[in-house]
Amino acid sequence: MSTTDIAARFTAVAPACDFWSVRVVHKRTESLGVTRGITDPIGLADDTGVMVTVEAADGVGYAATSDTSSAGLARAGKDAHAWAKRTAGRLVAPPRTRGNAVRHDDAARPAMWGTLSRKAKVERLHALAAQAKCHDRIGDWGAGFSFSDEESVIATSAGDHICQRQGVVAPWLHASAGGGGETQTRTFGRGGAIRQGGLDVLDDMGFWDAGTRIGQEAMELLAAPNCPEGEMDLLLAPDQMYIQIHESIGHPLELDRILGDERNYAGTSFVTLDMFGRYQYGSDLLNVTFDPTVSCEAASYAFDDDGTPAEKQFLIKDGLLARPLGGATSQARANSPGVANARACHWNRPPIDRMANLNIEPGAASLADLIASVENGVLMETNVSWSIDDSRNKFQFGCERGQLIKNGKLAGVVKNPNYRGVSATFWRNLKGLGNASTVAVLGSPNCGKGEPNQMIRVGHASPPGLFGGVQVFGGG
Amino acid sequence: MEEQFNALADGIGAHLRGSEGFLASFAGESSAFVRYNHAAVRQAGTVEQRYLSLELFDGKRHAAKTITLTGQADDATRVTAAVTDLRDILKDQPEDPLFLINTAPQSTRRVLPNTLPAAEEMLDAVLTAGSRHDLVGITASGPIHRGFASSLGQRNWDTAHAYNIDLSFYLQADKAVKWGDGGSSWNAGAFTAKANAAKQRLAALARAPKTIALGGYRVYLAPAAMEEIMGMLCWGGFGLADHRTGITPLIRMVEGERLNAAVSVRENTKDGFAPGFQSKGFIKPDSVDLIVDGAYRDCMTSPRSAVEFGAAQNGAEDNMEMPVSLDMAAGSLAESDILKTLGTGVYVGNLWYLNYSDRNACRLTGMTRFATFWVENGEIVAPLNVMRFDDTLYRMLGTNLAALTKTRDARLSSDTYESRQTRSMLLPGAVVDDLRLTL
């Protein structure tokens, strides 16, 4: 039964109430991999369920179920209605007013995944992983990818019908070299490689060509000296920039955090509502956008899970804080503009404010220009460690690989590169950004937040960024 | 759900051909979630989900698929379709040298009694407790089901009617007391007592917060803070594959380095909350010693790792070789002596967002959070503004460990990613010298 049919089935048994919505999700997943020369068990999943939301007498309740029979859907409607009655007059904010009904359908978009047989995919993964195992000292190595094909339908008592489909590919590749009580690992983006599309995405990312490089760089790190300690320039590659953006711009700008919803779990924010339009978040080079229109990026969509149409918006313009990451419900609560970012990780969780695609607009410099401008610094690649306080201010990050920069030139690889700083001042020390040709489209499949917890994919596109006066250090 | 699962398992057996066999693992829950902010309801509802992971095998060839179930008659059709899909996949599958299943069937059944209150009662209790306070957080309650069946006739079932309360009282900005409760036996009086105790602790947060200079400090890490440290170690610290490939953060312990002799850690399935069987049907031993008297002992070992590295499996899941019922031995420090023993230093109620700054050195960084105080001469002086620590496990629980508490906290995981969890930890608090605060 299709998602549209299930939505229609609910419509036939929906409870009498002020407003109802049903979100039906059907997600098929395939994971293939190779670990230490042996084919991993195939991972297949076929997952369908519904989330019903009911508003009644100034209360709101939800009920999610994998029971998509008429009886199951009727029971979900009844349960959601009961919760709406229980919460009437006890909500943080009353149900919001909605706009005109919307109809949208992009379910016919094909996902290019079956052009290569499963057996052929696994054979290619074996060949790739074997390239990463380039030395006897590499004791752990592997390659794989997951592909998900997700179709969702949102229907409401107001006449909305929004059908969307997204294919998402997330590859992985790693090699760990060990010796002398130490292990160094190099990966293909360590989870930051995720995009919408099919097999073509893997070619575009350079995944099939990365095996030998990953193995050799793991060996190189094993022999490298520790990253030096001191205050210096820091040049971050896009596969570190994405997590810096995520943790110290994305999360603090989430409106539900600013409104306090996340204080018991994911945390609050050093950003307050009065700072929008006034606060200089970064140097005038910093332009940050919420952009759901980049076709290959992980969290592009036409409508969020509340049915709000999605469009590109500047969150930070020329360094000045412009608008928060808040969906329709949060916007109404805060009396603030926002974006279409009410998202749920799956059918079994309600929508909350999430990042979606959060990008740094490119600057003017080439990578060579950025390196040439550094007298004393480090270029860091590929995030391996991230930690930030619950207000999203004091942070510390570690990367897989560093390269010293001396007098404008790369001057050798260092291991265990780390840096720490404070969001409120770090972005003001941004003094260089790569041009459009240096931008990499990355993201994360694992942004965790919410109560109950939700793990969701986000996209981050960024050029390399150069920062001045950063506290850098190594391991030990 | 138990009867439906067993009926489905019987039906799968009827579809097998020749030398085929199957493993079936079930995960279901009927959960009520209520989320709060500012002592009002932010979101409330119910989640009912049923997942079946079906693995078809023929000799060493195998393939698995996870599907959602409705709980209705059409589940039989879904299962039949899954078997057909998997049979088709098996045609192209090579033999898997690491495939291992339990060939000594042992059926078990544990159904904990339901003493949970109605949704309205818990909602009323929380809103009453939050009255005139800034309360935020979540309650989760309802049955959690896990099942296993195989073509060898094994049947395992576990139902826990559980609740988890995870709340905070906020005073201002980031100053808050986090508190909670969890388990299978709800007691309204005990809930009110915990709420009142948390409110009393708020008073200390009203004092002007203090910022201290960077450097080394004597600290007390409450069990909630220890949970964050042990939680980090669980990810990759104790798995056999991680040890044999050298990527464990405890690599120096593998090579002989020791923690303080007071530190002993084990997987304690017998007294934990998690089911006593894993998803391949292996029955977990009552206990697995991981660290004994400061020295590394055994690893959590999954069936695949057991074959790959020539060891015996001990109930760990494939690709997730981690403790799920972790038990850290108690020390001798009485709870009433914690502040006196700390003397002058930092009382850390909670830690937050830990990660490795040098995995090989098991060097961890993270932040203080919630109720963390500056203490002088055994007296709480002021709440502390959040600080970052960056130090190695070998210093924190090795050379610089001064004491472990006699009383331990049973901490049931409040994680609800994808589903409600049954992980738990039994942990003491720790007094540690010279913890490095770096930001």
Side-chain angles (χ1 to χ4, degrees):
Chain A
M1 178 172 262
S2 73
T3 49
T4 295
D5 290 341
I6 294 171
R9 183 181 269 181
F10 176 77
T11 302
V13 297
C17 58
D18 298 342
F19 173 85
W20 60 255
S21 71
V22 60
R23 179 164 50 82
V24 187
V25 179
H26 180 200
K27 183 177 182 181
R28 285 165 293 181
T29 308
E30 177 177 288
S31 300
L32 303 176
V34 172
T35 301
R36 298 186 287 279
I38 296 173
T39 306
D40 294 338
I42 294 173
L44 297 174
D46 195 324
D47 187 346
T48 303
V50 302
M51 166 64 74
V52 173
T53 304
V54 165
E55 297 178 7
D58 277 344
V60 180
Y62 67 79
T65 182
S66 58
D67 185 354
T68 53
S69 67
S70 287
L73 294 171
R75 189 166 58 250
K78 188 178 170 186
D79 287 350
H81 199 188
W83 278 108
K85 290 176 184 171
R86 280 181 204 124
T87 61
R90 299 164 122 182
L91 290 170
V92 170
R96 63 185 170 83
T97 307
R98 286 176 169 75
N100 295 328
V102 172
R103 298 193 75 81
H104 171 87
D105 191 340
D106 68 5
R109 193 169 64 180
M112 303 288 287
W113 186 248
T115 52
L116 202 59
S117 71
R118 191 175 286 129
K119 186 177 180 183
K121 287 172 191 152
V122 172
E123 286 172 354
R124 289 198 74 176
L125 287 172
H126 268 287
L128 178 64
Q131 290 167 4
K133 167 70 173 167
C134 63
H135 195 280
D136 287 346
R137 283 194 162 188
I138 292 180
D140 189 32
W141 69 100
F145 41 65
S146 68
F147 173 73
S148 66
D149 184 0
E150 181 176 313
E151 183 178 316
S152 67
V153 166
I154 299 171
T156 73
S157 57
D160 298 287
H161 188 91
I162 300 166
C163 184
Q164 300 186 87
R165 185 173 178 183
Q166 294 161 337
V168 176
V169 180
W172 54 271
L173 168 65
H174 73 274
S176 296
E182 179 178 354
T183 301
Q184 289 290 333
T185 299
R186 193 74 176 103
T187 70
F188 184 77
R190 197 179 283 264
I194 179 170
R195 286 192 199 168
Q196 289 195 38
L199 280 171
D200 52 323
V201 165
L202 301 176
D203 294 323
D204 292 346
M205 285 180 168
F207 176 65
W208 298 115
D209 303 322
T212 302
R213 175 179 64 81
I214 292 297
Q216 289 176 344
E217 288 182 354
M219 289 300 299
E220 185 182 37
L221 285 170
L222 197 61
N226 247 318
C227 181
E229 183 167 354
E231 188 175 301
M232 61 189 76
D233 281 356
L234 175 63
L235 179 55
L236 298 181
D239 59 2
Q240 171 57 27
M241 280 291 280
Y242 90 90
I243 196 84
Q244 182 74 55
I245 298 164
H246 182 93
E247 303 290 4
S248 74
I249 294 180
H251 280 308
L253 296 195
E254 288 165 346
L255 193 46
D256 60 344
R257 294 179 71 114
I258 295 169
L259 291 168
D261 290 354
E262 290 285 339
R263 290 176 297 165
N264 184 61
Y265 179 59
T268 180
S269 176
F270 73 92
V271 173
T272 52
L273 286 173
D274 61 326
M275 290 162 70
F276 289 94
R278 300 177 187 175
Y279 182 74
Q280 194 70 29
Y281 206 97
S283 75
D284 58 9
L285 293 175
L286 184 64
N287 287 286
V288 180
T289 55
F290 170 86
D291 191 354
T293 68
V294 181
S295 61
C296 66
E297 203 164 349
S300 293
Y301 49 78
F303 292 84
D304 72 7
D305 289 330
D306 264 354
T308 305
E311 58 185 15
K312 181 176 180 177
Q313 297 284 357
F314 276 83
L315 306 181
I316 296 173
K317 179 74 170 164
D318 300 329
L320 190 69
L321 192 56
R323 73 168 63 202
L325 280 162
T329 298
S330 294
Q331 291 171 37
R333 290 168 64 194
N335 190 26
S336 163
V339 296
N341 71 324
R343 302 176 64 206
C345 65
H346 203 27
W347 59 263
N348 59 358
R349 295 290 182 264
I352 55 176
D353 292 342
R354 304 306 299 242
M355 261 175 253
N357 293 338
L358 188 68
N359 303 338
I360 289 194
E361 300 295 307
S366 67
L367 179 60
D369 292 338
L370 292 172
I371 293 170
S373 69
V374 175
E375 186 178 325
N376 178 38
V378 181
L379 163 62
M380 295 192 192
E381 295 172 72
T382 317
N383 179 264
V384 68
S385 175
W386 61 100
S387 173
I388 191 164
D389 74 43
D390 68 301
S391 300
R392 298 286 154 169
N393 221 349
K394 292 181 175 182
F395 62 75
Q396 180 171 315
F397 292 102
C399 291
E400 287 182 2
R401 185 171 187 257
Q403 292 182 81
L404 300 177
I405 306 174
K406 297 291 182 190
N407 301 315
K409 293 182 177 167
L410 294 175
V413 172
V414 292
K415 65 183 178 184
N416 304 322
N418 286 267
Y419 65 98
R420 61 174 76 101
V422 176
S423 299
T425 54
F426 181 78
W427 291 101
R428 294 178 191 171
N429 292 328
L430 175 68
K431 60 181 192 178
L433 274 175
N435 57 32
S437 71
T438 68
V439 171
V441 178
L442 300 166
S444 170
N446 297 322
C447 176
K449 182 184 168 184
E451 292 178 309
N453 303 149
Q454 302 196 43
M455 197 78 83
I456 206 166
R457 68 175 181 274
V458 298
H460 298 303
S462 176
L466 177 61
F467 301 84
V470 180
Q471 192 64 39
V472 167
F473 59 98
Chain B
M1 292 187 186
E2 183 181 7
E3 287 180 8
Q4 291 166 344
F5 172 66
N6 285 333
L8 279 177
D10 293 342
I12 297 166
H15 287 295
L16 298 181
R17 295 178 186 169
S19 55
E20 289 176 345
F22 79 87
L23 309 176
S25 183
F26 178 84
E29 65 183 59
S30 300
S31 300
F33 294 115
V34 183
R35 188 178 199 195
Y36 301 87
N37 187 13
H38 300 307
V41 176
R42 171 65 186 91
Q43 288 170 319
T46 308
V47 174
E48 181 165 314
Q49 59 188 42
R50 295 173 169 89
Y51 285 97
L52 179 76
S53 294
L54 176 60
E55 184 156 21
L56 187 71
F57 64 88
D58 193 344
K60 291 281 187 183
R61 293 181 298 124
H62 64 111
K65 186 173 188 177
T66 299
I67 59 173
T68 36
L69 300 177
T70 63
Q72 306 291 337
D74 68 339
D75 282 343
T77 308
R78 293 184 182 208
V79 168
T80 302
V83 170
T84 303
D85 286 351
L86 293 170
R87 183 174 290 132
D88 193 46
I89 291 169
L90 278 193
K91 291 176 190 168
D92 287 331
Q93 280 296 97
E95 291 202 338
D96 180 357
L98 304 185
F99 185 56
L100 180 68
I101 63 170
N102 182 16
T103 54
Q106 187 178 345
S107 296
T108 59
R109 184 175 187 272
R110 180 182 76 163
V111 177
L112 298 179
N114 182 6
T115 65
L116 300 180
E120 292 88 344
E121 186 182 337
M122 193 175 284
L123 178 67
D124 289 345
V126 173
L127 290 177
T128 300
S131 175
R132 296 188 301 281
H133 287 82
D134 184 359
L135 178 140
V136 59
I138 187 170
T139 61
S141 62
I144 303 170
H145 310 282
R146 298 289 184 269
F148 175 82
S150 78
S151 49
L152 297 175
Q154 182 170 340
R155 298 287 186 274
N156 305 93
W157 187 260
D158 188 284
T159 294
H161 295 272
Y163 71 95
N164 205 313
I165 290 168
D166 187 2
L167 299 166
S168 301
F169 285 126
Y170 265 79
L171 192 68
Q172 57 187 348
D174 62 353
K175 299 295 179 288
V177 172
K178 188 176 175 71
W179 59 286
D181 193 9
S184 57
S185 181
W186 166 259
N187 181 314
F191 169 80
T192 302
K194 286 204 173 204
N196 289 337
K199 288 173 191 170
Q200 286 179 356
R201 288 164 61 200
L202 267 181
L205 289 171
R207 302 173 196 173
K210 182 179 176 70
T211 298
I212 57 176
L214 305 183
Y217 290 89
R218 185 172 170 91
V219 302
Y220 170 68
L221 301 171
M226 291 291 285
E227 183 181 16
E228 295 294 322
I229 292 172
M230 299 312 294
M232 270 307 292
L233 295 182
C234 284
W235 289 102
F238 301 110
L240 183 69
D242 296 319
H243 277 239
R244 295 294 173 85
T245 59
I247 61 175
T248 173
L250 299 179
I251 189 168
R252 292 187 182 173
M253 291 192 81
V254 176
E255 305 220 334
E257 192 154 343
R258 298 174 74 112
L259 300 178
N260 189 292
V263 176
S264 291
V265 178
R266 62 179 173 143
E267 168 75 334
N268 182 1
T269 299
K270 183 169 176 286
D271 297 322
F273 204 71
F277 55 92
Q278 54 90 266
S279 60
K280 286 285 190 291
F282 289 98
I283 304 300
K284 300 176 184 178
D286 284 351
S287 177
V288 178
D289 286 329
L290 304 170
I291 296 171
V292 177
D293 299 336
Y296 201 84
R297 178 67 64 85
D298 289 325
C299 287
M300 297 304 301
T301 305
S302 70
R304 288 186 76 76
S305 286
V307 179
E308 183 174 5
F309 300 107
Q313 69 79 28
N314 57 20
E317 297 287 350
D318 288 335
N319 300 318
M320 203 165 67
E321 296 180 308
M322 58 188 285
V324 294
S325 302
L326 186 137
D327 178 319
M328 183 173 178
S332 57
L333 178 63
E335 191 152 357
S336 56
D337 291 337
I338 289 171
L339 288 177
K340 185 175 70 179
T341 301
L342 174 60
T344 296
V346 182
Y347 181 106
V348 181
N350 300 81
L351 289 173
W352 164 247
Y353 224 130
L354 272 60
N355 215 320
Y356 294 103
S357 43
D358 182 350
R359 190 176 177 90
N360 288 298
C362 204
R363 181 172 147 191
L364 294 158
T365 187
M367 297 298 304
T368 64
R369 193 177 177 188
F370 297 114
T372 294
F373 301 97
W374 177 247
V375 175
E376 289 183 2
N377 301 316
E379 298 286 338
I380 288 177
V381 173
L384 198 66
N385 286 319
V386 295
M387 296 292 292
R388 173 170 296 286
F389 79 93
D390 191 349
D391 215 332
T392 73
L393 186 76
Y394 303 107
R395 281 169 42 88
M396 290 188 286
L397 297 184
T399 52
N400 292 346
L401 178 64
L404 293 171
T405 59
K406 190 188 303 180
T407 305
R408 296 185 293 173
D409 269 11
R411 306 194 61 81
L412 175 62
S413 173
S414 59
D415 282 2
T416 48
Y417 287 108
E418 298 182 352
S419 61
R420 287 163 63 213
Q421 303 300 309
T422 55
R423 294 193 307 271
S424 63
M425 293 193 193
L426 188 57
L427 296 168
V431 177
V432 174
D433 280 323
D434 196 29
L435 183 74
R436 290 166 174 159
L437 301 183
T438 58
L439 186 64

